[in-house]
Amino acid sequence: MDWRNWRLPVKVAAVLLVPVAVAVGTGVLQIRGYVVRADSYAAIGKLVTLRSALTPLITAVQDERAHQAGRVDGTPPEANAFHERGAVTTRAFEVVRGLAQDPATSLGDVASSRFAEVTTQVNGMPQLRQSIDAGSDVSVSVIAYTTVLRSMLDFDQALINEFGDAALASTGGALHHLQMAGEQLSLQHAVLLSAVSRGRVLDSEVVALDQSRLRYLDRISDFAALATAEQRDLRTQTVTGRDVLARDRMVQDALTTVATADEPDPPSLESKVPAGEWVTASRATDALVNKVLVGLEGELADTVATLQDETSDQAGLISTILLASLLAAVGVGVVFGNNMIRSLLTLRRTALHVAQHQLPELVSDLREEGASEVVIEPVAVHTTEEFGQLARAFDAVHQQAVGSAVEQARLRGGLRNTFVNLSRRSQGLVERQLRLMEELERKEENPQQLANLFKLDHLATRMRRNNENLMVLSGTDVTRRFSKPIPLADVLRAAASEIEHYQRVVVQTTPQVEVVGYAASDLVRLIAELLDNATAFSPPRSHVMIVGRPRNGGGVVIDVIDEGVGMSPADLEAANVRLRSVDADELPATRQMGHFVIARLAARHQIEVTLADQGPHRDGLRAVVGVPPDLVRTPRDAAPTVVDAPPPVERRAPVVPSARPRPAGNGVAPATNGVAPATNGVVPAGNGVRPAPAAKNDDGEWSSFRGMAVDDTDPAATTRSVWFKGELPTGEAPRHRLDDQAAPAPRPDGVAPDAAPAAGSEVELPKRRPRGNLVAGRPGPEGVAPVRRDPNATRGFLSSYQTGIRQGVRDSGDHRPAQENP
């Protein structure tokens, strides 16, 4: 419900909602007012219709009154004509009552009361007619009819008062006053007609005529005050003529026939007011007045209908305007809202595309192709208002980000080149150090000093691995590569020889598979980093186990198991994340550099590396290395040849009786499976197999034959050199005869087999060729073709070498259990 988190269309709708709601509310109220007024005009129309129906009723009663006034006192009027007029009155009243009782006709309280009086008077008219039929007095009958007509006129006044509109009220008032004036004329007609029938005018009749004339003039004045000019002209032009003037003259003459003190014998009424002329003139005048009444009633009905139509039209017009306004507001809101939303969506889409695709792809291209000038594509919002300004601001930010990425790419490239240069320089120094130690090892005769030199040699090898790790982190391939497949056991032993505590590593049984040459060196480094961590974080006297097993679906799985302190779940998860990290620009922490090296090497060959806890009842961690099937293969023969193989499991400082052996060359022999656990790669005694010692090849690399199991039953292994037996003559170089060894095959790296023994010849130990295999595919420094050593000959030679070392340790008296395998 937080309005700040509403979507933009909702906010735009909310902004438009208040004025639209006000406009709609006002319009609805105005429309409702017009509708109410139209309904009121419809109700007034019903009242006008009722008022128009009342005029024939009044006229019928007036005609009935005049008809009975023409009889002589004491005599009834002519029956048929009188009863016919009574029937006309009854029918006219039924029409009025039907309209008054119509549910659509809304009568007020006053009008309802007046209509009740009319109903009472009309219901009493049958008795009045009966009295007239019985010969009642004419004056009394005239007064009775006048009373009935007064109730009807009062009802007419009540109807006029319910006209709410001013125009209708004025016209209705003028119509009522004219109706009252016509009643006075009708009353005069009845009174004077009864006097003419009698032959004289009674005093009461004189008073009635005189008062009627005054009331007539008052009603005409009231009519003139309320009527419009057109209505006044209509009456003036209609109620005129010879009959009107004759009637007025006869009324004046009738008043002169009354006897007074000044004129006791006035003229007769019949001479002044002939009965026929009076009836004709009086009825003609009444007809003219009724004509004006009918015209005013029609005008009133038209006015009501016009007002109703106008009000309805205004309601419809307001509704149309309101609807048009709403549509216009919605249209404007949609147009402007869509424009804003489209601009924002373009900005959002561009920003997301830049953040999720363009910048990462640009950074990736910069990593691969190097720094270059990049021109960004501006956001497709080209307006000059705030959204356009925001788009230009984003373009500036994008350009700055791209510039920063280019600058960082240049910096990364410079740092990478610097690291690679420093690594290569350091690697060159290490190689020189190794050559120097080679010279020292050749000349050293003291076994203790020779052991120290071997230790320095091993430290230099570890320094070379660190340099190679720096090259891996810098994104550069290292130069040491194998050209042919390497047995998995040799790979694991080579990895063990790359670490400081190689004595604690135990290589157990591995599958009879080989690792392809281009991946073998990286796998050696990967396993070496895992072993380095495992030995560093486990007790000093504990062993680190390496187990190889087939993998479901092909390939192999290598388990590195230690008995160390382990890791917390959070640290374990973080370590696995680092092992899966392939971001070449992420700077690794010093303590976790090995994890990033493993991640780079694993990503290079799609190798899966995972750290897992060994459970609540076992200490330490298990590193699981999944090698894909395309990196391993089944050997084609029983003794595959390995070129530049990795180093062995164990290397100990040799102690010899008198002279020192020179390090072995880079001839290799295949690893022999069947190595038992917890023996540091040595098969238990009794099976005729014992481990071979450690040495380096001429390129400063660990030879794969060191630490491999050697069969004592092999004829080549039974041959012993006098050098190992301590029987070398004084001043004579240590040499060894391998009478039953086969000639070695040429090496693929182009290095001549200067130390390879031939059949029936005495040869020295193989010499190291510094930088002989520094760059993959590069020939040796002398440009000679490499040779391949016979694995059986090498196995026998090294078996003799290790036997001499052990014998020297036992004879020295300084033998400790940790110096050799159990």
Side-chain angles (χ1 to χ4, degrees):
M1 297 302 296
D2 188 1
W3 61 270
R4 291 169 295 186
N5 295 327
W6 292 354
R7 295 177 59 84
L8 184 60
V10 179
K11 291 182 178 179
V12 173
V15 170
L16 296 177
L17 181 62
V18 175
V20 169
V22 172
V24 170
T26 304
V28 168
L29 292 177
Q30 191 172 5
I31 293 172
R32 184 175 181 276
Y34 282 120
V35 171
V36 171
R37 287 183 60 188
D39 293 339
S40 66
Y41 285 135
I44 292 173
K46 293 293 183 180
L47 296 179
V48 169
T49 302
L50 177 59
R51 166 67 192 67
S52 300
L54 187 61
T55 298
L57 176 61
I58 294 174
T59 301
V61 175
Q62 290 173 348
D63 188 45
E64 188 176 346
R65 178 181 62 184
H67 181 74
Q68 69 87 27
R71 65 184 175 87
V72 180
D73 292 339
T75 60
E78 196 272 321
N80 293 333
F82 182 67
H83 291 165
E84 289 177 0
R85 286 171 172 75
V88 172
T89 301
T90 302
R91 288 195 296 271
F93 177 72
E94 293 296 331
V95 173
V96 171
R97 182 165 61 183
L99 292 174
Q101 294 178 351
D102 187 358
T105 303
S106 178
L107 297 177
D109 295 338
V110 177
S112 299
S113 178
R114 293 293 184 267
F115 181 72
E117 293 178 3
V118 171
T119 302
T120 301
Q121 293 295 330
V122 173
N123 290 334
M125 288 184 69
Q127 297 179 356
L128 176 60
R129 294 188 187 102
Q130 290 178 3
S131 64
I132 292 173
D133 289 336
S136 63
D137 187 62
V138 175
S139 299
V140 175
S141 299
V142 170
I143 294 172
Y145 276 107
T146 301
T147 302
V148 174
L149 290 170
R150 186 179 297 112
S151 66
M152 294 179 180
L153 293 173
D154 291 341
F155 177 58
D156 179 67
Q157 179 66 43
L159 292 177
I160 296 300
N161 291 336
E162 293 191 3
F163 294 170
D165 191 85
L168 296 177
S170 61
T171 302
L175 181 60
H176 174 69
H177 291 307
L178 186 60
Q179 185 72 57
M180 294 292 291
E183 166 58 20
Q184 298 305 317
L185 293 177
S186 178
L187 178 61
Q188 294 173 13
H189 174 65
V191 172
L192 191 54
L193 183 59
S194 63
V196 171
S197 300
R198 190 183 306 109
R200 62 186 181 86
V201 181
L202 301 177
D203 293 337
S204 59
E205 293 174 347
V206 172
V207 173
L209 287 174
D210 189 49
Q211 292 178 352
S212 178
R213 289 179 63 251
L214 294 175
R215 286 194 291 269
Y216 173 76
L217 295 175
D218 290 339
R219 295 299 180 179
I220 292 300
S221 297
D222 295 337
F223 168 79
L226 296 176
T228 62
E230 292 80 5
Q231 292 172 351
R232 290 194 298 270
D233 294 340
L234 176 62
R235 179 199 161 279
T236 301
Q237 295 172 5
T238 302
V239 185
T240 186
R242 183 171 58 85
D243 292 334
V244 175
L245 295 176
R247 181 188 179 284
D248 292 339
R249 179 182 58 77
M250 285 187 283
V251 172
Q252 294 293 336
D253 290 342
L255 294 177
T256 61
T257 61
V258 180
T260 61
D262 296 334
E263 191 176 359
D265 190 13
S268 64
L269 180 60
E270 186 176 357
S271 62
K272 295 291 186 179
V273 183
E277 293 180 7
W278 168 250
V279 171
T280 301
S282 181
R283 287 184 176 177
T285 302
D286 291 340
L288 294 175
V289 172
N290 287 333
K291 182 178 180 181
V292 176
L293 288 173
V294 172
L296 292 179
E297 289 173 353
E299 182 180 349
L300 182 62
D302 293 341
T303 302
V304 172
T306 301
L307 291 175
Q308 183 180 0
D309 293 339
E310 290 178 354
T311 306
S312 299
D313 293 342
Q314 288 179 346
L317 178 63
I318 295 299
S319 301
T320 303
I321 293 175
L322 179 61
L323 180 59
S325 300
L326 288 177
L327 293 178
V330 172
V332 171
V334 169
V335 171
F336 284 93
N338 281 340
N339 181 265
M340 292 188 297
I341 294 172
R342 191 182 306 113
S343 300
L344 283 179
L345 289 178
T346 302
L347 283 170
R348 176 180 177 272
R349 183 172 57 252
T350 304
L352 291 177
H353 180 69
V354 168
Q356 298 176 357
H357 299 284
Q358 273 191 331
L359 279 180
E361 292 174 0
L362 174 63
V363 172
S364 177
D365 293 340
L366 291 176
R367 292 173 184 169
E368 296 176 359
E369 301 176 4
S372 61
E373 296 297 330
V374 180
V375 178
I376 68 168
E377 183 179 357
V379 180
V381 178
H382 307 292
T383 57
T384 58
E385 33 80 72
E386 286 78 2
F387 290 107
Q389 297 172 9
L390 179 60
R392 302 291 78 77
F394 178 79
D395 291 340
V397 173
H398 187 191
Q399 184 66 52
Q400 186 65 31
V402 170
S404 299
V406 172
E407 183 178 355
Q408 290 180 4
R410 292 173 178 171
L411 179 61
R412 287 193 301 269
L415 290 176
R416 182 167 54 249
N417 294 335
T418 301
F419 290 158
V420 172
N421 189 20
L422 290 176
S423 177
R424 291 187 183 276
R425 290 185 179 183
S426 178
Q427 190 173 2
L429 295 176
V430 170
E431 294 297 334
R432 292 173 58 186
Q433 181 180 358
L434 289 174
R435 286 198 304 270
L436 179 59
M437 284 187 292
E438 279 293 319
E439 296 295 331
L440 295 176
E441 289 171 0
R442 290 192 185 98
K443 299 177 181 180
E444 183 59 49
E445 300 295 336
N446 187 340
Q448 188 65 33
Q449 289 298 109
L450 184 60
N452 293 332
L453 289 176
F454 277 127
K455 292 180 180 178
L456 291 176
D457 197 316
H458 186 67
L459 290 175
T461 303
R462 289 165 54 202
M463 291 172 60
R464 181 176 61 181
R465 180 167 64 87
N466 291 336
N467 290 332
E468 292 175 348
N469 288 345
L470 183 59
M471 297 182 68
V472 170
L473 293 176
S474 300
T476 304
D477 290 340
V478 295
T479 55
R480 288 196 299 165
R481 283 288 184 272
F482 297 104
S483 60
K484 291 186 178 181
I486 308 299
L488 179 61
D490 290 353
V491 170
L492 301 183
R493 294 188 181 96
S497 67
E498 294 274 344
I499 67 173
E500 179 180 3
H501 303 286
Y502 59 89
Q503 304 94 334
R504 295 163 50 195
V505 177
V506 177
V507 180
Q508 293 190 345
T509 304
T510 59
Q512 291 285 349
V513 294
E514 295 177 339
V515 181
V516 295
Y518 69 87
S521 60
D522 288 342
L523 185 59
V524 167
R525 296 181 187 93
L526 188 152
I527 300 297
E529 291 297 329
L530 293 175
L531 291 174
D532 201 358
N533 286 343
T535 56
F537 294 97
S538 59
R541 295 187 178 277
S542 64
H543 290 90
V544 176
M545 312 295 292
I546 306 180
V547 181
R549 49 192 170 88
R551 184 183 185 184
N552 294 333
V556 294
V557 175
I558 302 171
D559 294 329
V560 178
I561 305 171
D562 63 61
E563 300 175 2
V565 296
M567 302 176 70
S568 66
D571 293 339
L572 192 62
E573 178 63 25
N576 284 320
V577 171
R578 288 191 295 270
L579 292 176
R580 293 190 296 269
S581 175
V582 293
D583 187 2
D585 294 331
E586 185 177 356
L587 295 178
T590 303
R591 295 185 59 187
Q592 291 119 8
M593 185 179 68
H595 290 174
F596 290 92
V597 173
I598 295 171
R600 304 293 192 277
L601 296 173
R604 185 178 298 173
H605 304 287
Q606 288 76 45
I607 299 175
E608 301 176 3
V609 182
T610 305
L611 297 181
D613 196 352
Q614 298 198 62
H617 303 295
R618 295 188 63 185
D619 295 333
L621 294 178
R622 175 188 295 267
V624 182
V625 180
V627 182
D630 56 344
L631 299 184
V632 297
R633 69 178 189 178
T634 304
R636 295 181 180 178
D637 49 62
T641 302
V642 181
V643 179
D644 289 340
V649 172
E650 182 180 11
R651 179 184 183 186
R652 293 187 177 87
V655 180
V656 296
S658 58
R660 167 191 72 78
R662 296 174 58 186
N666 57 357
V668 295
T672 305
N673 287 326
V675 181
T679 60
N680 290 348
V682 181
V683 177
N687 56 1
V689 181
R690 58 181 187 271
K696 290 184 183 288
N697 61 18
D698 290 341
D699 297 329
E701 302 173 7
W702 290 104
S703 300
S704 62
F705 55 74
R706 293 170 300 166
M708 293 187 297
V710 181
D711 193 349
D712 285 342
T713 61
D714 188 353
T718 60
T719 304
R720 297 290 181 268
S721 172
V722 294
W723 188 88
F724 286 106
K725 298 180 179 179
E727 300 175 357
L728 190 66
T730 305
E732 185 175 351
R735 308 184 65 85
H736 177 56
R737 179 182 301 275
L738 300 176
D739 296 333
D740 54 350
Q741 303 293 322
R747 287 178 53 183
D749 58 358
V751 179
D754 58 319
S761 64
E762 295 182 354
V763 294
E764 295 181 351
L765 293 175
K767 299 181 181 179
R768 182 203 313 271
R769 297 289 184 180
R771 294 179 179 267
N773 197 26
L774 185 60
V775 179
R778 180 181 300 176
E782 299 178 2
V784 296
V787 297
R788 179 177 301 174
R789 300 186 185 278
D790 180 56
N792 294 326
T794 304
R795 183 185 300 117
F797 168 75
L798 291 178
S799 175
S800 301
Y801 173 71
Q802 189 175 32
T803 302
I805 291 177
R806 291 187 176 184
Q807 183 65 38
V809 171
R810 294 189 184 97
D811 296 341
S812 65
D814 193 21
H815 171 69
R816 291 186 301 272
Q819 289 181 307
E820 61 178 315
N821 293 330

